[in-house]
Amino acid sequence: MDPIPQTDSNGLEPEDCSHSHARRYACKYCDKAFPSSWKLTTHIRTHTGEKPYKCTVCNKCYTQRSDLTKHIRTHTGEKPYKCTVCNKCFISSSDLTRHMRMHNRRTPHKCTECSESFAFLSRLEEHFSSVHPGKKPHKCTECGKCFTSLSHLKRHMLIHTKV
């Protein structure tokens, strides 16, 4: 007689992995497997579109409770994670971690409109289009036309090099 498989609180059955002692929870929609049932449940929502966590202020929905918690802070203004270098505050620990990386590397890409600087040009362009919409900092040296991103300027420059 085969043993009855154990299920977790979500009713999900782990599969045994022959190459490790860990039990894995397999997704029925794709070939991914997860070490815990809650990670599988969250992953399955990418297939089903389920978003069970709803903001009571604006009705925006999320797949994970932690994402809703971060979102709610945009309404309350709460920023509990503070940088020890510059005192800037953040709504999530991951935002603070990402910010801290900036203190440890050069930031040669300076915004022409404010004091922000970035380690990567792509981040400067994202900043520029979201914080300074409508501004076009990249100017063509041939004809003077201006563009919102360097990639758009480079594409434009091709018209000046065609024979």
Side-chain angles (χ1 to χ4, degrees):
M1 184 164 153
D2 291 332
I4 299 171
Q6 297 293 318
T7 59
D8 66 6
S9 62
N10 294 324
L12 299 170
E13 182 180 325
E15 61 181 36
D16 286 315
C17 292
S18 58
H19 60 278
S20 77
H21 298 305
R23 298 186 115 190
R24 306 277 293 169
Y25 293 82
C27 177
K28 65 182 179 181
Y29 298 101
C30 68
D31 61 353
K32 291 187 178 181
F34 300 87
S36 65
S37 63
W38 71 267
K39 287 185 179 183
L40 173 61
T41 299
T42 299
H43 165 76
I44 285 175
R45 291 178 184 144
T46 66
H47 296 292
T48 65
E50 179 190 13
K51 294 182 176 183
Y53 303 103
K54 186 175 182 179
C55 176
T56 57
V57 177
C58 68
N59 295 327
K60 191 168 184 179
C61 297
Y62 294 89
T63 57
Q64 296 182 57
R65 185 186 322 269
S66 61
D67 290 336
L68 173 60
T69 300
K70 285 186 277 188
H71 168 76
I72 287 172
R73 289 178 181 149
T74 66
H75 295 299
T76 65
E78 179 189 12
K79 294 182 177 182
Y81 302 93
K82 187 175 184 178
C83 175
T84 56
V85 177
C86 69
N87 294 326
K88 188 171 182 177
C89 296
F90 300 89
I91 62 171
S92 71
S93 61
S94 59
D95 288 346
L96 173 58
T97 299
R98 185 172 32 257
H99 166 79
M100 290 303 292
R101 291 183 198 137
M102 301 308 288
H103 287 300
N104 299 323
R105 62 169 85 128
R106 283 185 40 238
T107 55
H109 304 286
K110 311 273 188 242
C111 178
T112 57
E113 297 293 316
C114 67
S115 62
E116 291 285 324
S117 62
F118 302 87
F120 304 102
L121 181 59
S122 61
R123 294 284 188 220
L124 171 60
E125 290 178 345
E126 287 172 10
H127 160 82
F128 210 87
S129 63
S130 64
V131 177
H132 311 292
K135 302 275 184 172
K136 298 181 177 181
H138 304 283
K139 188 174 184 178
C140 175
T141 55
E142 296 291 318
C143 68
K145 189 171 182 180
C146 295
F147 299 88
T148 56
S149 73
L150 185 59
S151 60
H152 291 162
L153 171 60
K154 286 179 179 178
R155 186 175 58 212
H156 163 79
M157 292 297 287
L158 295 174
I159 68 167
H160 297 299
T161 57
K162 289 185 179 176
V163 178

